[in-house]
């Protein structure tokens, strides 16, 4: 139907049970992604996860649907979504509050919509990036992540991801992160 559906997720806590949660949620995503209603998809994923009785496990997720020049976004316990508008040179920040999947039935997730134009760039991330700590116990932070993305948003998605990875590595002086660091960058043609 000419809709691009993208998602970024993170299971909590980590380890083997979390891997089961990720595998299960990935399967649900593959089946449910064609549903045009993100909230219904989140509710169905939660219903299925609760049937599996994986106590104390949950799945945080951001899901976006891009249709022509419109985007719909929702989140379940994830960092903000950043969209750099090339023509106006404005950075949109969409912090969409929602409980992680698998926690509460029928949680009232919200959907945010925005317009997209050629050259606009979207950035989704896991919390592992802004929550990197350097040797002085300073956090990279969401503001620094947003500002850095704004500086490089005009580049290709591959270049943006490389520069984000390098910025994180430089910040922690190449120390292994304590949490997963995941990026999704989408540029409108």
């Amino acid at each position: 139907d000419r809709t691009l559906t993208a998602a970024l997720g993170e299971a909590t806590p980590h380890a083997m049970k979390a891997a089961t949660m990720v595998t299960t949620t990935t399967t649900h995503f593959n089946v449910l992604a064609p549903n045009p209603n993100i909230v219904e998809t989140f509710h169905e994923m939660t219903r299925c996860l609760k049937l599996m009785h994986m106590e104390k496990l949950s799945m945080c997720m951001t899901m976006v649907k891009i249709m022509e020049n419109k985007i719909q976004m929702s989140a379940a316990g994830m960092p903000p979504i950043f969209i750099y508008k090339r023509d106006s040179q404005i950075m949109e920040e969409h912090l969409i509050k929602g409980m992680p999947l698998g926690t509460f039935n029928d949680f009232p997730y919200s959907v945010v919509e925005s317009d997209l134009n050629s050259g606009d760039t979207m950035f989704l991330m896991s919390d592992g990036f802004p929550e990197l700590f350097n040797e002085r116990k300073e956090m990279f932070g969401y503001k620094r992540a947003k500002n850095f993305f704004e500086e490089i948003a005009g580049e290709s998605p591959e270049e943006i991801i490389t520069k984000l990875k390098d910025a994180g590595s430089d910040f922690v002086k190449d120390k292994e992160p304590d949490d997963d660091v995941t990026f999704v960058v989408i540029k409108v043609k």
Side-chain angles (χ1 to χ4, degrees):
D1 67 353
R2 299 180 53 113
T3 299
L4 171 66
T5 302
L8 174 66
E10 182 175 19
T12 56
H14 301 282
M16 192 54 155
K17 284 186 178 181
T20 302
M21 175 67 79
V22 170
T23 302
T24 301
T25 308
T26 300
T27 302
H28 287 121
F29 173 77
N30 288 331
V31 171
L32 299 171
N35 183 345
N37 188 317
I38 298 173
V39 172
E40 284 179 6
T41 299
F42 280 0
H43 286 163
E44 182 62 10
M45 286 180 165
T46 291
R47 185 188 72 76
C48 293
L49 291 171
K50 288 181 91 52
L51 287 173
M52 296 178 69
H53 302 290
M54 294 195 282
E55 283 77 23
K56 298 182 182 171
L57 284 175
S58 61
M59 185 73 179
C60 297
M61 182 177 282
T62 297
M63 187 178 295
V64 300
K65 290 189 172 284
I66 301 171
M67 302 142 293
E68 301 291 329
N69 67 333
K70 301 276 186 204
I71 182 170
Q72 293 180 339
M73 306 166 272
S74 192
M78 289 294 281
I81 300 165
F82 298 120
I83 302 174
Y84 180 75
K85 303 291 193 156
R86 183 187 69 180
D87 292 344
S88 62
Q89 297 184 348
I90 291 175
M91 176 67 72
E92 289 184 358
E93 179 177 352
H94 300 280
L95 178 59
I96 307 167
K97 296 182 179 182
M99 294 302 295
L101 303 176
T103 54
F104 293 101
N105 289 326
D106 300 321
F107 183 85
Y109 295 102
S110 59
V111 175
V112 175
E113 295 185 0
S114 185
D115 293 327
L116 292 174
N117 294 298
S118 180
D120 292 352
T121 309
M122 181 185 332
F123 174 38
L124 314 176
M125 65 182 157
S126 65
D127 63 0
F129 181 59
E131 294 176 5
L132 289 171
F133 284 91
N134 66 14
E135 59 195 12
R136 294 185 303 275
K137 305 291 184 214
E138 297 169 324
M139 191 167 74
F140 192 87
Y142 289 90
K143 184 175 182 176
R144 187 185 323 235
K146 175 185 173 183
N147 291 343
F148 186 65
F149 170 63
E150 188 170 13
E151 288 175 22
I152 61 175
E155 300 185 29
S156 74
E158 296 80 8
E159 292 169 324
I160 292 169
I161 289 172
T162 297
K163 288 185 177 185
L164 289 166
K165 285 172 34 180
D166 291 347
S169 293
D170 291 348
F171 187 75
V172 298
K173 303 229 185 303
D174 294 321
K175 184 183 136 232
E176 283 293 314
D178 295 329
D179 195 1
D180 297 335
V181 176
T182 308
F183 308 121
V184 174
V185 176
I186 300 171
K187 184 175 286 279
V188 180
K189 289 187 174 188

